[in-house]
Amino acid sequence: MTDDHSTDRFYAQNAARYAADTERRDFGRLDAFIDRLPEGARVLELGCGAGHDSAHMLARGIDVRPTDGTAEMAAEAERRLGVAVGVLPFDALSDVACFDAVWANACLLHVPRTGLPDVIGRIARALKAGGLFYASYKTAADETIDRFGRYYNNPSVEYLQSTYEAVGLGAIEVDARAGGGYDGLPTEWLHVTAVKA
């Protein structure tokens, strides 16, 4: 089950509204991520959405490169951030050993499950040795499509661990937490942090 075109359409058609509706107030997890970075760290943010996390990183003096896979969403983030935001579909990431860290909050969950190993591999290649990687996923028994037409890959902990390890990511930490989402429904989240060997 994949419908990434429908997912892209949702974000393209609802960029301004989504940006307004997803204002972030709790940066505890992001602050913990930042605290693990070396001074002067260069960070790639994938799927930056409205740019709230990039704004927080910029405020903390991080050299962040915000990107989003949807041109309309990237434009919305750029308007809010006042800095350039790149349009970067996950499967187009081609950097090699360029970043000290990659932050991918609630975005890789839209990658078709069959394509997720390639994307994780691209992220691993983009990281410098010792680079830090964070991503969050919804988890469930099967892939799903929500009432907005957005696709979710819903990986298991075991799937993520084996996929990460296969591309040279180690020190994998998984924090499973109950939470919610834009659709207002309760969901189980996996917050995953890993380090490139």
Side-chain angles (χ1 to χ4, degrees):
M1 174 197 297
T2 59
D3 195 2
D4 45 329
H5 296 301
S6 180
T7 303
D8 290 343
R9 274 197 305 276
F10 169 82
Y11 290 110
Q13 294 171 359
N14 299 279
R17 180 175 179 179
Y18 184 82
D21 289 347
T22 56
E23 187 75 36
R24 279 174 61 80
R25 293 177 178 83
D26 180 5
F27 292 101
R29 198 174 295 276
L30 178 55
D31 281 329
F33 174 85
I34 293 170
D35 290 345
R36 293 178 63 174
L37 302 181
E39 187 174 348
R42 186 171 186 227
V43 177
L44 171 65
E45 182 177 9
L46 295 171
C48 74
H52 304 306
D53 288 357
S54 277
H56 189 72
M57 284 189 265
L58 288 167
R60 287 206 50 187
I62 298 295
D63 177 13
V64 59
R65 176 186 167 198
T67 68
D68 198 89
T70 306
E72 293 84 354
M73 203 76 245
E76 187 66 28
E78 190 167 295
R79 182 180 69 78
R80 290 165 174 263
L81 288 171
V83 299
V85 176
V87 178
L88 181 64
F90 306 129
D91 60 2
L93 177 61
S94 59
D95 296 279
V96 177
C98 287
F99 300 100
D100 298 290
V102 173
W103 177 261
N105 185 55
C107 61
L108 299 182
L109 42 66
H110 293 311
V111 176
R113 196 182 286 184
T114 55
L116 193 56
D118 174 68
V119 170
I120 299 299
R122 289 172 180 272
I123 290 168
R125 284 192 296 274
L127 285 167
K128 298 175 183 177
L132 186 64
F133 170 41
Y134 166 84
S136 56
Y137 309 84
K138 292 184 178 184
T139 185
D142 298 303
E143 300 162 88
T144 56
I145 294 177
D146 73 5
R147 64 188 175 93
F148 299 112
R150 299 179 302 170
Y151 164 85
Y152 289 90
N153 48 35
N154 296 323
S156 66
V157 172
E158 294 75 19
Y159 175 90
L160 291 173
Q161 286 176 328
S162 64
T163 300
Y164 278 42
E165 289 170 356
V167 297
L169 294 169
I172 301 166
E173 302 169 17
V174 181
D175 181 20
R177 293 290 177 97
Y182 187 72
D183 60 6
L185 298 176
T187 189
E188 186 77 10
W189 285 91
L190 301 177
H191 301 274
V192 186
T193 305
V195 176
K196 182 176 180 177

